[in-house]
Amino acid sequence: MPSFAYFDKQFVPLAKAKLGVMTNALHYGTAIFEGIRGNWNSDQKQIYLFRLKEHFERLHNGCRVLKIDPPHSVDELCQITVKLVAMCRFEEDVYVRPLAYKSSESLGVRLHDLESDFLAFVIPWGPYLDMDKAKCGISSWRRPDYNVIPPSAKLTGLYINNALAKTEAIEKGFDEAIMLTPDGHISEGTGENLFLVTDGKLVTPASDNHILLGITRDTVIKLAKDELGIETVERPIELGELFTAEECFLTGTAAHITPVGEIDHRPIASGGVGAITGKLQELYFEVIRGNNPKYLDWCTPVY
Ligand code: PMP
């Protein structure tokens, strides 16, 4: 199935969307990206884009950090995305990759005096962490401090940190890395936030633990509270707490809710999918596919 891109303020076949070799963002990581899921509902023959507006609000915030003047408002970006996904006519789960980038074909390390542009494309994309239970390893690479690169924005250049950690984890035989804060507390996975279940409550690193404030993280906190009556405590987590947790899972747009089976070769509890993780997964998958009427506000239909 041919895919399309929004590029140079036009909808074009994906194969026609090409950037010049001197594009500033390619050389210095001067771009902000997003990852948005379109979830296929086979009964309704519909794709629902999940929490579209929140993704573009986060993109706009990132643009402020990089002095990118976004060429479109949040509402316009939502409309462009719906149109783009509809053009592709996919009948499966898709992933949208928007990018606001320094588009000038101009070298030199800086943020000022550069033009910006916006592009987006759609690809079919099934599960990201393709497993029932992830094996995680504690990374030797720590998250950057707030005065190094702000970890709360999806800056493309920042993701070298995540790529170093991910490849180290894979080369050591793990599925995913868990990165620590500069002072040694738990931060997050390379593309996911982390949750523990401790004493029947959810515990997750707080906003000042060098994390990206995930939209899935927020979704899980709300579903746990409103549907299961389970509170989430947002606080610094010590490394040792991982090994005594009742359950552990990762959350992200790409990874959805992925249970963690072991960390550094130590099984989490029995090593199976925990009861609370399982309930949250069930709820979450109904919500993102537009099957739970209570949460349809989070789902933008494409067709
Ligand atoms: N942390 C990092 C480093 C990420 O790249 C992502 C993916 N965007 C997340 C957490 C999860 O964020 P979200 O749930 O918004 O996809």
Side-chain angles (χ1 to χ4, degrees), residues 45-60:
K45 298 241 169 283
Q46 182 60 272
I47 286 180
Y48 287 105
L49 293 163
F50 191 60
R51 301 192 70 175
L52 189 55
K53 195 164 178 207
E54 287 90 332
H55 281 282
F56 284 124
E57 283 167 353
R58 188 166 69 186
L59 184 101
H60 262 229

Side-chain angles (χ1 to χ4, degrees), residues 58 154 159 162 188-193 212 214-216 251-253:
R58 188 166 69 186
K154 284 183 79 74
Y159 275 71
N162 307 44
E188 60 181 350
T190 64
E192 308 86 19
N193 293 112
L212 181 80
I215 292 164
T216 321
T251 65
T253 294

Side-chain angles (χ1 to χ4, degrees), residues 186-206:
I186 303 301
S187 182
E188 60 181 350
T190 64
E192 308 86 19
N193 293 112
L194 179 139
F195 284 79
L196 299 180
V197 178
T198 305
D199 294 332
K201 279 196 192 129
L202 293 182
V203 184
T204 193

Side-chain angles (χ1 to χ4, degrees), residues 18-160:
K18 301 279 183 216
L19 284 171
V21 293
M22 281 182 65
T23 305
N24 186 272
L26 177 65
H27 296 268
Y28 308 113
T30 47
I32 303 288
F33 72 106
E34 264 305 325
I36 304 169
R37 278 262 185 198
N39 301 295
W40 173 240
N41 183 316
S42 54
D43 294 336
Q44 299 177 22
K45 298 241 169 283
Q46 182 60 272
I47 286 180
Y48 287 105
L49 293 163
F50 191 60
R51 301 192 70 175
L52 189 55
K53 195 164 178 207
E54 287 90 332
H55 281 282
F56 284 124
E57 283 167 353
R58 188 166 69 186
L59 184 101
H60 262 229
N61 285 338
C63 285
R64 286 194 196 106
V65 178
L66 279 201
K67 289 174 153 301
I68 287 177
D69 191 14
H72 301 288
S73 68
V74 168
D75 283 345
E76 284 164 357
L77 289 170
C78 292
Q79 286 158 19
I80 288 167
T81 303
V82 169
K83 190 166 170 195
L84 177 65
V85 178
M87 280 175 81
C88 298
R89 307 298 317 159
F90 290 120
E91 298 197 345
E92 59 192 303
D93 291 341
V94 299
Y95 183 83
V96 184
R97 165 51 50 83
L99 188 80
Y101 62 104
K102 296 288 189 186
S103 56
S104 296
E105 298 206 34
S106 166
L107 295 186
V109 175
R110 65 191 188 280
L111 296 176
H112 60 278
D113 293 342
L114 291 167
E115 301 277 305
S116 309
D117 209 344
F118 170 80
L119 62 80
F121 60 88
V122 190
I123 52 168
W125 210 13
Y128 174 65
L129 290 176
D130 194 6
M131 74 264 323
D132 296 338
K133 284 169 288 165
K135 288 190 199 130
C136 296
I138 303 296
S139 185
S140 7
W141 299 97
R142 297 204 171 180
R143 296 294 286 160
D145 215 335
Y146 290 101
N147 57 5
V148 178
I149 304 177
S152 50
K154 284 183 79 74
L155 310 168
T156 57
L158 165 67
Y159 275 71
I160 282 302

Side-chain angles (χ1 to χ4, degrees), residues 128-139 165-179 188-190 192 194 242-243 248-250 255 258-268 271-273:
Y128 174 65
L129 290 176
D130 194 6
M131 74 264 323
D132 296 338
K133 284 169 288 165
K135 288 190 199 130
C136 296
I138 303 296
S139 185
K166 179 77 182 195
T167 292
E168 178 195 52
I170 297 294
E171 287 177 356
K172 286 183 171 172
F174 300 116
D175 303 310
E176 183 54 289
I178 294 174
M179 300 167 84
E188 60 181 350
T190 64
E192 308 86 19
L194 179 139
L242 290 182
F243 306 120
C248 177
F249 60 87
L250 299 170
T258 299
V260 174
E262 52 176 80
I263 299 171
D264 274 0
H265 306 297
R266 301 178 193 216
I268 302 297
V273 177

